[in-house]
């Protein structure tokens, strides 16, 4: 589906919205306004002269879609350049015109979709709808879109409600219209227990993936080209470019990498403290990046390789390619279904032919029984005639012999006819046997084909399981390596802590030894002072004994004065 087809789908909604009377025609004034607005949003120079010449006032009545298409193709669509306008603004213009008339969510008691979400679903519907008018989406595409939205919300699709809706007669005959699809989403039957914000975020993610051709986006660490430092950037991958921004809001673009057939992506070993690294090589530069984990790295490398493959194959959009493939698969399924129906009809015809042959065989058997009965009747009649002939006169013996001869000839003819009938019966039985053998061969061939398909599917499943187990084993090895590195780091830190504790213990031991030496010196000094004090006590005792001799009143006073002086001297 090219750009012109996408634009025509949105314009068709705008045209039908202006067709108030549903007659297939729109007034000239409304078409003039629509054309002017289309030129504005498509960044095309407006040519009022050509517009007036095409919609002259002397023309009779409003203009049909067939009458508007020549002007639309010549003066608008032929001048459109891809990338020269914002397609979202163009879609919003057409959505505004058609939503005013057709989208009435207020009839539901509980509105699930916001206006922005309804607009994005309308764009997704246009992208996935069939290239036929009026625009409808087949049930397979509806289920595909709903599965994408539920996958973005990390929930499972409510298949019961979907089957109930798909089983309606109008859907089975005509397919989904966008308004029926929006009403189903607003009913809340498929999004029970999910908040509006979750639904809105999921719709935005699917919109960016399918309509904006965003193959993948998210945060990655990128190494600079000049300073060689690492910075976290928000990357957005499209089929031809890989852009990176300073943050998730995508306001400040830091760079843009153009992808072509000369680009390639490689996985790098961990270094400089970065893990899960890979690089994108172009003709001029090599960009080094680091993902958060192995799964993200694998998803990014696969997505970039897909973008390069699309460029090499000359495809501008992954989902356009996927849509065409799904359409081809539906057509192949339809062809197989028709072939199967034709085969069943052929088998029924063979069965009818077999039944007809069996009926003919029964008729032949019945004819053989009747012939046998006739032969018995003839034999009985011959016997009667023979008895009569025996009773006749001798003169009529010759005539009787002639009659007998004629009867024998007639019996030979009838016997030959019966032999031909038996031969025909044998041929019919052989034909029936060949038909049965052919039917058995056909059944065996179909059984062998089904067995081969089953074996092929089983081999594919086993290969997927082996690939998953290998990936799980690789992740376990990486986790074991990381765990070993962490244990080695923890052991190193523990050894450093023990070394520091040992040094601290040595230092404390030296302090204890110094304190012990100091205490020993203090003890020696104390012992020296104790010996001195003992000597002083002995001296005091001698002095006391000397002073304790009888003395007069004046002598006692002199004694106390001397004693106090001695105590003061000893204390000093």
């Amino acid at each position: 589906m090219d750009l012109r087809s996408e634009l025509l789908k949105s314009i068709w909604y705008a045209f039908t919205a202006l067709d108030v009377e549903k007659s297939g025609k729109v007034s000239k004034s409304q078409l003039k306004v629509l054309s002017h607005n289309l030129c504005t949003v498509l960044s095309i120079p407006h040519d009022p002269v050509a517009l007036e010449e095409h919609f002259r006032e002397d023309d009779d009545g409003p203009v049909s879609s067939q009458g508007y298409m020549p002007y639309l193709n010549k003066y608008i669509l032929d001048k459109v350049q891809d990338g020269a306008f914002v397609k979202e603004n163009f879609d919003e213009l057409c959505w505004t015109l058609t939503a005013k008339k057709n989208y009435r969510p207020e009839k539901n008691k509980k509105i699930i979709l916001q206006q922005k979400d309804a607009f994005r679903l309308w764009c997704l519907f246009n992208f996935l709808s069939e290239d036929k008018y009026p625009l409808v989406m087949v049930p397979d595409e509806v289920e595909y879109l709903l599965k994408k939205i539920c996958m973005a919300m990390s929930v499972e699709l409510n298949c019961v409600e979907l089957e109930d809706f798909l089983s309606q007669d109008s859907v089975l005959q005509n397919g989904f219209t966008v308004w029926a699809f929006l009403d189903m989403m607003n009913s809340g039957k498929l999004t029970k227990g999910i908040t509006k914000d979750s639904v809105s975020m999921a719709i935005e993610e699917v919109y960016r993936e399918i309509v904006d051709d965003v193959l993948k986006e998210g945060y990655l660490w990128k190494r600079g080209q000049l300073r060689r430092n690492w910075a976290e950037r928000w990357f957005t991958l499209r089929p031809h470019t890989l852009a990176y921004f300073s943050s998730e809001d995508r306001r400040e673009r830091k760079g843009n990498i153009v992808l072509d057939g000369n680009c390639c992506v490689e996985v790098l070993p961990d270094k400089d403290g970065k893990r899960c690294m890979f690089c994108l090589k172009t003709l001029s530069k090599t960009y080094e990046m680091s993902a958060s984990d192995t799964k993200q790295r694998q998803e990014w490398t696969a997505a970039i390789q897909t973008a390069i493959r699309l460029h090499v194959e000359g495809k501008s959009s992954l989902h356009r390619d996927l849509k065409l493939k799904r359409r081809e698969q539906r057509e192949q399924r339809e062809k197989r279904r028709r072939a199967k129906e034709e085969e069943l009809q052929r088998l029924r015809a063979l069965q009818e032919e077999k039944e007809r042959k069996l009926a003919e065989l029964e008729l032949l058997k019945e004819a053989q029984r009747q012939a046998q009965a006739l032969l018995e009747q003839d034999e009985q009649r011959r016997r009667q005639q023979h008895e009569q002939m025996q009773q006749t006169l001798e003169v009529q013996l010759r005539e009787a012999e002639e009659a007998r001869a004629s009867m024998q000839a007639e019996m030979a003819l009838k016997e030959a006819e019966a032999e031909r009938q038996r031969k025909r019966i044998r041929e019919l039985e052989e034909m029936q046997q060949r038909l049965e053998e052919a039917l058995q061969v056909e059944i065996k061939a179909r059984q062998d084909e089904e067995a081969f398909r089953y074996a092929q599917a089983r081999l594919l499943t086993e290969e997927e399981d082996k690939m998953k187990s290998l990936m799980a084993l690789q992740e376990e090895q990486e986790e074991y390596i990381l765990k070993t590195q962490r244990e080695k780091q923890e052991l190193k830190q523990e050894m450093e802590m023990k070394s520091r504790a040992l040094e601290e213990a040595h230092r404390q031991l030296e302090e204890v030894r110094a304190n012990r030496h100091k205490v020993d010196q203090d003890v020696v000094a104390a012992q020296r002072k104790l010996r001195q004090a003992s000597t002083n006590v002995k001296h005091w005792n001698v002095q006391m004994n000397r002073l304790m001799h009888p003395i007069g009143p004046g002598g006692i006073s002199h004694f106390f004065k001397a004693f106090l002086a001695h105590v003061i001297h000893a204390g000093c």
Side-chain angles (χ1 to χ4, degrees):
M1 183 175 63
D2 55 1
L3 180 61
R4 181 187 291 263
S5 300
E6 293 182 12
L7 298 178
L8 279 174
K9 286 184 177 182
S10 299
I11 295 173
W12 178 80
Y13 278 106
F15 185 90
T16 54
L18 297 176
D19 182 13
V20 180
E21 298 179 357
K22 297 182 179 180
S23 61
K25 296 182 178 181
V26 179
S27 65
K28 300 173 187 176
S29 60
Q30 289 178 321
L31 289 180
K32 290 179 182 179
V33 175
L34 175 62
S35 301
H36 187 276
N37 291 330
L38 291 177
C39 292
T40 301
V41 296
L42 293 173
S43 301
I44 299 173
H46 186 57
D47 189 358
V49 177
L51 184 65
E52 292 296 335
E53 289 180 355
H54 189 80
F55 300 108
R56 291 192 299 271
E57 294 297 337
D58 55 353
D59 291 343
D60 296 331
V63 181
S64 64
S65 59
Q66 290 80 8
Y68 182 58
M69 282 301 296
Y71 172 81
L72 182 64
N73 287 321
K74 182 177 181 181
Y75 293 99
I76 298 180
L77 297 181
D78 289 346
K79 298 179 181 180
V80 172
Q81 295 181 358
D82 193 5
F85 67 98
V86 180
K87 188 175 181 299
E88 187 174 357
N89 296 337
F90 168 80
D91 290 332
E92 283 184 351
L93 170 64
C94 299
W95 162 256
T96 303
L97 292 174
T98 188
K100 290 180 179 179
K101 178 181 177 182
N102 299 294
Y103 183 55
R104 297 184 178 88
E106 62 273 4
K107 65 182 181 180
N108 294 322
K109 296 181 180 179
K110 183 179 180 182
I111 300 175
I112 303 297
L113 302 176
Q114 303 176 7
Q115 284 292 332
K116 192 68 174 179
D117 299 334
F119 163 68
R120 286 170 176 161
L121 288 176
W122 179 76
C123 294
L124 289 168
F125 184 94
N126 291 345
F127 185 88
L128 298 175
S129 61
E130 298 299 303
D131 300 334
K132 300 176 183 178
Y133 295 92
L135 294 174
V136 294
M137 196 187 329
V138 297
D140 290 345
E141 293 295 317
V142 174
E143 185 175 359
Y144 171 78
L145 177 57
L146 292 176
K147 285 183 177 179
K148 294 287 289 184
I149 295 174
C150 291
M151 188 183 301
M153 294 186 295
S154 299
V155 298
E156 292 186 1
L157 178 63
N158 191 342
C159 298
V160 177
E161 296 291 344
L162 180 61
E163 289 294 334
D164 292 341
F165 192 82
L166 293 178
S167 60
Q168 298 179 10
D169 294 337
S170 60
V171 175
L172 292 175
Q173 294 176 0
N174 304 319
F176 261 98
T177 64
V178 65
W179 313 117
F181 178 70
L182 292 177
D183 289 341
M184 179 187 68
M185 293 297 296
N186 266 325
S187 65
K189 294 180 179 179
L190 300 176
T191 57
K192 293 180 180 179
I194 303 174
T195 61
K196 293 182 179 180
D197 294 337
S198 299
V199 175
S200 180
M201 291 174 63
I203 292 173
E204 181 181 3
E205 180 179 344
V206 177
Y207 174 83
R208 285 185 55 76
E209 177 184 351
I210 296 180
V211 178
D212 289 347
D213 288 329
V214 176
L215 300 180
K216 186 171 178 59
E217 58 182 353
Y219 279 108
L220 289 173
W221 287 91
K222 176 185 173 296
R223 192 169 190 175
Q225 298 292 323
L226 299 177
R227 298 177 61 184
R228 308 301 291 170
N229 60 333
W230 290 91
E232 192 175 26
R233 299 291 183 232
W234 178 267
F235 281 79
T236 299
L237 175 64
R238 287 187 168 89
H240 299 293
T241 59
L242 177 62
Y244 52 95
F245 307 84
S246 59
S247 61
E248 188 175 353
D249 56 11
R250 302 185 298 276
R251 294 180 180 177
E252 183 181 359
R253 184 193 292 267
K254 290 294 184 179
N256 191 45
I257 305 172
V258 179
L259 303 177
D260 54 25
N262 298 315
C263 298
C264 66
V265 61
E266 295 181 0
V267 176
L268 299 178
D270 299 343
K271 63 178 181 179
D272 299 335
K274 292 295 180 182
R275 54 189 299 271
C276 302
M277 294 178 59
F278 65 96
C279 68
L280 175 61
K281 294 182 178 180
T282 64
L283 287 178
S284 58
K285 295 180 181 180
T286 298
Y287 299 88
E288 294 184 9
M289 287 161 279
S290 172
S292 59
D293 52 33
T294 306
K295 180 181 178 182
Q296 284 295 319
R297 178 175 66 180
Q298 182 182 3
E299 291 180 356
W300 273 106
T301 54
I304 294 173
Q305 288 172 351
T306 301
I308 296 172
R309 176 181 59 80
L310 289 174
H311 185 276
V312 172
E313 295 176 355
K315 298 174 182 178
S316 60
S317 173
L318 173 63
H319 285 279
R320 290 193 186 98
D321 185 36
L322 294 177
K323 178 185 175 183
L324 292 176
K325 289 181 179 179
R326 291 195 299 273
R327 182 179 296 173
E328 292 175 358
Q329 290 175 357
R330 288 197 300 272
E331 292 175 354
Q332 291 176 359
R333 286 200 302 269
E334 184 64 23
K335 289 180 180 179
R336 289 195 296 268
R337 186 186 63 80
R338 288 197 296 267
K340 188 174 181 180
E341 290 180 354
E342 292 175 357
E343 185 68 18
L344 290 175
Q345 291 178 358
R346 189 177 67 84
L347 290 175
R348 283 195 292 269
L350 290 174
Q351 185 67 22
E352 292 175 356
E353 181 68 17
K354 179 182 177 182
E355 293 176 356
R356 187 177 63 80
K357 295 293 183 181
L358 290 175
E360 291 180 357
L361 183 62
E362 290 294 332
L363 291 175
L364 289 174
K365 289 181 178 180
E366 182 65 24
Q368 184 181 9
R369 288 193 295 270
Q370 292 178 1
Q372 187 69 25
L374 289 175
L375 287 175
E376 293 177 355
Q377 291 176 3
D378 291 341
E379 182 66 21
Q380 185 177 5
R381 188 170 57 253
R382 186 186 63 79
R383 290 175 181 176
Q384 291 176 358
Q385 290 176 358
H386 182 67
E387 291 175 356
Q388 291 176 0
M389 289 174 65
Q390 287 180 352
Q391 294 175 2
T392 58
L393 298 171
E394 291 291 334
V395 293
Q396 296 179 350
L397 180 60
R398 187 183 302 171
E399 295 177 355
E401 292 292 332
E402 293 177 356
R404 181 180 178 184
S406 64
M407 287 295 295
Q408 288 179 349
E410 184 178 357
M411 287 178 62
L413 290 175
K414 290 185 178 181
E415 185 68 25
E417 180 67 22
E419 183 64 26
R420 285 196 299 272
Q421 291 292 337
R422 286 193 293 271
K423 184 178 180 181
R424 176 63 176 167
I425 290 170
R426 286 194 299 271
E427 290 177 355
L428 290 175
E429 289 178 349
E430 291 175 356
M431 183 180 296
Q432 178 184 2
Q433 185 176 1
R434 287 196 298 272
L435 288 175
E436 290 178 352
E437 290 176 355
L439 183 60
Q440 292 296 327
V441 170
E442 181 71 18
I443 293 172
K444 186 176 183 304
R446 290 193 171 276
Q447 290 177 350
D448 292 341
E449 182 181 359
E450 291 295 331
F452 175 74
R453 289 179 180 174
Y454 174 76
Q456 187 176 13
R458 181 172 55 79
L459 288 176
L460 290 175
T461 305
E462 290 178 355
E463 289 182 359
E464 291 179 357
D465 294 337
K466 289 180 180 178
M467 182 62 68
K468 290 179 180 178
S469 64
L470 287 175
M471 292 301 296
L473 181 58
Q474 183 179 0
E475 291 180 359
E476 290 178 359
Q477 289 179 351
E478 292 179 355
E479 291 177 357
Y480 179 74
I481 291 172
L482 292 176
K483 181 179 179 182
T484 305
Q485 291 177 352
R486 286 195 298 269
E487 290 178 352
K488 183 178 179 181
Q489 187 69 22
E490 291 175 357
L491 182 59
K492 184 178 180 181
Q493 292 176 357
E494 184 178 356
M495 289 177 66
E496 290 177 355
M497 291 175 62
K498 288 183 177 180
S499 178
R500 288 194 295 270
L502 183 59
E503 291 176 358
E504 180 67 22
H506 279 297
R507 186 183 60 78
Q508 291 178 0
L509 182 59
E510 291 296 331
E511 289 179 357
V512 168
R513 288 177 179 175
N515 291 334
R516 182 178 178 184
H517 180 68
K518 185 177 179 182
V519 169
D520 290 341
Q521 289 178 352
D522 291 341
V523 169
V524 172
Q527 289 177 354
R528 189 182 300 116
K529 287 182 180 181
L530 182 60
R531 286 193 297 268
Q532 184 66 31
S534 177
T535 305
N536 291 334
V537 169
K538 290 179 181 180
H539 180 69
W540 291 342
N541 289 332
V542 173
Q543 292 295 330
M544 285 294 292
N545 291 328
R546 184 183 301 170
L547 293 173
M548 287 302 292
H549 292 288
I551 57 176
I556 294 174
S557 176
H558 177 74
F559 167 75
F560 281 107
K561 288 180 180 181
F563 177 75
L564 290 174
H566 184 74
V567 170
I568 293 171
H569 177 71
C572 293

